[in-house]
Amino acid sequence: MGRGKTWTAALALAVAVGLPAGAWAGNDTDDDIIVGFATGKSGILQAYDQPAEHAAKIRIEEINAAGGLLGKQIQIVDSDTKSDRNEGVKAGQAVVDEGADIVVVTCDYDYGAPAAGVAQDEGLISFFLCAEDVKAGIEGIGPYSFSASVLAAVQGATMAEWAYNKRDVKTGYVLVDTSVEYSKSVCYGFEWMFPKVGGKIVGKDGFQNADPSIASQITRIKSLPEVPDAIMLCTYNPGGASAVKQLRAAGIDSLILNGSSLDGSYWLAAVPGLSDFVVPVQGSIYGDDPDPKVEAFNKKFEAKYGARPGSQYAYPGYVLIDVWAKAVERAGTTETEAVVAELEKMREEPTLFGPRTFTDKLHHQNITTYKIVEATDGKFGYVDEWTISEPVPMEILFGGVQN
């Protein structure tokens, strides 16, 4: 039985043996508060999970140094999912068995859901490190599950509105990686917003992240009467770098837009001199963020781990500990229902990487201000920021534009 549930059993026992009800306060009778990380410390998700987990642990250190949470120190327990869904169940159970008060799970919904499901069954809060599919929350896991990042559809919608207004992009071609929900959701947002602002989608095609070639898709793009102003590429690495390389090698010089998953200079060597490639981010890792507090965090991260964050996906890890700890302090307990209630009261809650809002209908962000970074001559840099004109509707989050 998870610690989120044990307080009720403990209370019943207290009453049965004649102790006053106030003698039991669930998790708060423990000496420490425990955060369990059931994340990918190896395998394909390590590149996403570990920077976010490192950032989360920085926030935990800051809280502990300031006196702790509810006057207690936060302790950490870890288990490796090995970027495997089956191992995710084991990892989630392992941190629960070690007394976790909250279970932090992997960045991706598909891979993080097994551990999050364990937490839900045990009556514990789960927080996805940076999952951006709407199902990584109430809809796919249950009422105790949250994500610290911003919905993928918001990324696509941001790219659509920004490109139309700031780069005069009037025609777009959608190229979607159908291997995971994240990529499909990015394109849902673009396909919803781009026609709303006046853009025209001139074609759509799909591929799988593991496909060695997108030659047939490129042929269809080049067969269009006119080259589209932009390619909305919805994918992630390693397939993302391969797709970009093939597009440019085929002579397609259109502006390429993508979600946040292709932030980071670690892959740019695969496409030497890449330009006109744009992604939305929650903060810039490149030393040029307009908010000096973001760069101060980047330097703190580097001092602790020996390198700067590799992408913007470090930042949601910091955010999740920040908002959860605020909710615990306001609730005066780590008991699940009380903390969830405080999280769901948050409206534009300030964090280092932008405000967060949670409701009893949505445990994600369906609108935010994104920083815009662009690759020019093989280097990323901050160029702008943008807030979409309206939140992404729930029906778009769940299935995109219905034709």
Side-chain angles (χ1 to χ4, degrees), residues 37-101:
F37 289 90
T39 56
K41 295 164 179 57
S42 58
I44 61 172
L45 286 169
Q46 181 181 10
Y48 293 101
D49 283 8
Q50 288 311 285
E53 183 172 326
H54 290 338
K57 289 176 178 178
I58 287 175
R59 186 68 187 116
I60 288 171
E61 288 184 356
E62 292 174 347
I63 292 170
N64 282 341
L69 186 59
L70 301 179
K72 304 173 184 179
Q73 291 291 287
I74 301 174
Q75 302 297 329
I76 294 168
V77 295
D78 282 298
S79 188
D80 186 6
T81 68
K82 303 175 184 177
S83 300
D84 181 280
R85 292 174 175 86
N86 293 327
E87 292 293 329
V89 174
K90 298 176 186 177
Q93 193 62 57
V95 298
V96 168
D97 290 346
E98 290 190 71
D101 294 287

Side-chain angles (χ1 to χ4, degrees), residues 43 47 126 149 221 241 319 385:
S126 66
S149 198
I221 294 171
V319 170
E385 60 185 62

Side-chain angles (χ1 to χ4, degrees), residues 3-5 7 25-28 33-35 69-70 100-103 123-127 143-146 319-347 349 357-360 363:
R3 289 160 60 112
K5 290 181 177 177
W7 73 278
N27 303 349
D28 299 330
I33 292 172
I34 300 176
V35 175
L69 186 59
L70 301 179
D101 294 287
I102 175 178
V103 180
L124 294 171
I125 291 172
S126 66
F127 248 105
Y144 302 153
S145 189
F146 295 78
V319 170
L320 83 85
I321 296 297
D322 189 49
V323 295
W324 172 76
K326 288 177 180 177
V328 169
E329 288 286 1
R330 292 168 188 173
T333 177
T334 57
E335 192 275 311
T336 296
E337 295 282 359
V339 177
V340 167
E342 290 300 327
L343 284 165
E344 290 179 345
K345 292 176 185 176
M346 290 184 175
R347 300 292 184 272
E349 184 71 32
T357 294
F358 301 108
T359 72
D360 61 358
H363 289 176

